[in-house]
Amino acid sequence: MSEELDWLVACLRPVLDTLDRPATVVDADGRFVYYNPASARMDGVDVDEVIGKHVLEQNPWLTREDSTLLQCLDRGARFTDVCQSYIGPDGQAIPYLHTAVPLTGRGGALLGAIEIGRQLRHMPNHRGEDADVPRIATADPQMRQQIAWLDAFAASELPILIYGETGTGKELFARRAHALSPRGSRPLFTVNCAAIPDTLLESTLFGTVRGAFTGAENRKGLLTQADGGTLFLDELNSMPIQLQGKLLRVLQDGSYQPLGSHQSLLANVRLIAALNQEPLAAVEQGRLREDLYYRLNVGYVHIPALRDRRDDVPLLARELLARHAPELKPQVTQLGPEAEAVLLAQDWRGNVRELENILRRSLLLHDGGARLERIALHAGVQAAPRADGGLRGQLREREAEQIRAALAEQRGNVSAAARQLGLARSTLVSRLRRLGLA
């Protein structure tokens, strides 16, 4: 690196280090001389691993013609807000918007180039409308199939029914379906049926007229406010059965009556509904009308639980780390292998929402360094497993005590604890799960 470029990087570093956007600088040969923490987070690498590498060595999926940094060097051109699919560390295409500018010295000589960008959480809508299409990151074939079906259903006006456990991302699926639909540039309204008292849910959806009940005024419901757009009803199985009958009428002929009115109105909305339990089980338990289920069950999508798509755990963990580290612990750029192993050993009953909360807590408790090594699974001390009686229970308790002691002595390092106990690491991970200590 030339002395002039070295001086320039030293001047820029205090500012670029604090950015939550990726920023990189290359010399005139196309080798990285600066790589800020946000760039390292996006790539899941340590900054020191990148410095000195050529752009095409660090990004083998690029060609010289596609690299704006290298084109800055070759053509002396400036590139502003260029959108590109960046290939992340897990092979996922990530939408990325960046600006690249050549750097010249006081005498006019080309010193290198600088690029500042941002990772987009949405892909631009290919129809050129205002809406963005939420990106759903996954490495799981079953999940990809469900996303493909969702995209196909989205192109129609037909209702969509989404089933997934709590925390799997049903609203994200609904937002993607809306964005890809003919109504993508119109509003999307979301109602969590479990979060609104039964007495208010009807008026929230259908609206009221003055005098319908004490204090009632003329007020538009969401079916009116969402005119031309989409209405997403989350946790539909929490909606009172009587109210589900009124919703059925909307699906049948598009008509509804505000609370207290004798006049029918026509709804121009696309309905997307979500359940947090299997649909037929909800019908059998009396939580979902059977006729409403068959009306909604046109475009059906099932979001697999996170425990059923283990390959997505490290992928999502790195995405969430890149999203939250800039605010909570800016110096963190990587997920360490021990942390990844701990995450892979969990059952994730709370799915992606639980994973996100645990990563947030782990970042807050992180005590330094670019790599997140320790995962704070619990805010407090984890309770010991209950004994199941007899000799077997006593042995189970003794085994749990020894494992907890080894983990405490090794400060949560699973590999070191396994060596101390004389076990293979995979065996210890298996026993942690069996004993409820993971």
Side-chain angles (χ1 to χ4, degrees):
M1 178 166 51
S2 69
E3 289 185 7
E4 202 168 6
L5 183 58
D6 189 20
W7 173 83
L8 183 58
V9 169
C11 292
L12 293 173
R13 186 184 301 275
V15 176
L16 299 181
D17 275 353
T18 64
L19 290 182
D20 59 359
R21 294 186 174 195
T24 58
V25 179
V26 296
D27 62 17
D29 294 325
R31 296 188 177 276
F32 287 107
V33 295
Y34 174 77
Y35 214 76
N36 79 338
S39 292
R41 271 192 297 272
M42 189 171 73
D43 285 347
V45 298
D46 192 305
V47 171
D48 293 338
E49 298 174 11
V50 181
I51 300 302
K53 283 188 177 180
H54 192 272
V55 170
L56 300 183
E57 181 185 1
Q58 178 62 21
N59 305 296
W61 45 271
L62 267 179
T63 65
R64 192 171 188 91
E65 291 71 27
D66 291 333
S67 168
T68 49
L69 277 172
L70 297 180
Q71 286 303 300
C72 279
L73 301 178
D74 292 346
R75 298 161 51 187
R78 176 191 182 108
F79 297 85
T80 303
D81 289 342
V82 176
C83 188
Q84 186 176 60
S85 284
Y86 170 86
I87 306 302
D90 297 289
Q92 293 287 310
I94 301 170
Y96 181 66
L97 192 71
H98 58 274
T99 294
V101 180
L103 296 174
T104 55
R106 283 170 292 184
L110 182 67
L111 302 177
I114 183 172
E115 180 178 281
I116 299 178
R118 62 188 175 97
Q119 180 178 331
L120 302 175
R121 291 182 62 186
H122 306 94
M123 297 179 294
N125 191 316
H126 63 83
R127 295 189 311 277
E129 297 174 353
D130 293 337
D132 288 327
V133 181
R135 188 176 69 89
I136 302 174
T138 183
D140 181 70
Q142 183 184 1
M143 185 74 158
R144 287 177 175 170
Q145 179 64 76
Q146 296 298 318
I147 295 170
W149 286 343
L150 178 78
D151 292 354
F153 299 147
S156 74
E157 291 283 337
L158 295 170
I160 295 177
L161 182 62
I162 302 170
Y163 159 54
E165 294 181 5
T166 297
T168 50
K170 297 184 289 295
E171 185 174 349
L172 179 64
F173 268 62
R175 287 196 286 110
R176 182 181 176 94
H178 169 72
L180 287 171
S181 77
R183 299 171 181 262
S185 60
R186 301 291 298 164
L188 167 68
F189 286 83
T190 297
V191 180
N192 187 323
C193 299
I196 301 177
D198 296 352
T199 53
L200 294 180
L201 187 56
E202 182 174 0
S203 61
T204 299
L205 290 174
F206 298 98
T208 59
V209 297
R210 182 174 298 172
F213 51 84
T214 302
E217 297 291 339
N218 293 326
R219 186 168 66 88
K220 293 179 179 179
L222 290 180
L223 284 170
T224 302
Q225 296 178 53
D227 185 72
T230 303
L231 180 61
F232 173 50
L233 301 174
D234 197 7
E235 297 195 36
L236 180 66
N237 47 316
S238 296
M239 179 183 287
I241 290 293
Q242 172 266 340
L243 192 53
Q244 291 183 24
K246 294 190 174 184
L247 185 64
L248 177 63
R249 184 181 172 192
V250 176
L251 286 166
Q252 288 173 332
D253 59 22
S255 67
Y256 68 96
Q257 289 181 341
L259 199 61
S261 174
H262 300 291
Q263 181 181 0
S264 292
L265 302 177
L266 286 178
N268 177 21
V269 296
R270 202 267 184 89
L271 284 175
I272 301 177
L275 306 172
N276 58 6
Q277 67 177 138
E278 198 278 324
L280 290 178
V283 170
E284 291 172 1
Q285 294 172 18
R287 302 189 65 190
L288 179 67
R289 286 181 60 126
E290 187 173 12
D291 47 5
L292 178 60
Y293 164 61
Y294 287 115
R295 277 283 178 180
L296 284 170
N297 191 24
V298 181
Y300 178 70
V301 177
H302 173 213
I303 307 176
L306 186 55
R307 62 182 171 275
D308 295 329
R309 44 189 177 101
R310 293 275 173 188
D311 289 346
D312 279 357
V313 172
L315 186 156
L316 291 170
R318 282 188 279 270
E319 285 232 343
L320 293 167
L321 184 142
R323 184 185 306 172
H324 295 298
E327 177 185 358
L328 302 177
K329 279 293 187 295
Q331 72 270 28
V332 176
T333 63
Q334 287 180 289
L335 183 70
E338 294 293 336
E340 183 175 317
V342 171
L343 294 176
L344 282 168
Q346 306 311 303
D347 285 333
W348 300 117
R349 285 176 290 182
N351 292 291
V352 182
R353 186 176 300 150
E354 181 188 6
L355 173 62
E356 182 171 25
N357 288 338
I358 284 176
L359 278 171
R360 282 172 171 169
R361 180 164 61 240
S362 301
L363 283 168
L364 285 169
L365 298 177
H366 181 65
D367 55 5
R371 181 177 291 176
L372 181 65
E373 295 283 8
R374 300 182 65 187
I375 297 298
L377 292 174
H378 302 283
V381 178
Q382 186 174 356
R386 295 174 59 186
D388 54 2
L391 179 60
R392 179 179 297 178
Q394 294 175 26
L395 292 173
R396 179 186 175 96
E397 283 290 327
R398 179 60 180 159
E399 182 182 18
E401 288 174 9
Q402 290 184 347
I403 290 175
R404 281 197 297 271
L407 285 169
E409 188 172 337
Q410 300 299 333
R411 301 184 63 187
N413 187 308
V414 178
S415 295
R419 287 193 295 270
Q420 179 176 324
L421 293 166
L423 300 172
R425 189 184 181 287
S426 58
T427 301
L428 178 56
V429 169
S430 176
R431 293 189 182 182
L432 284 169
R433 294 182 62 187
R434 177 170 57 83
L435 295 168
L437 300 175

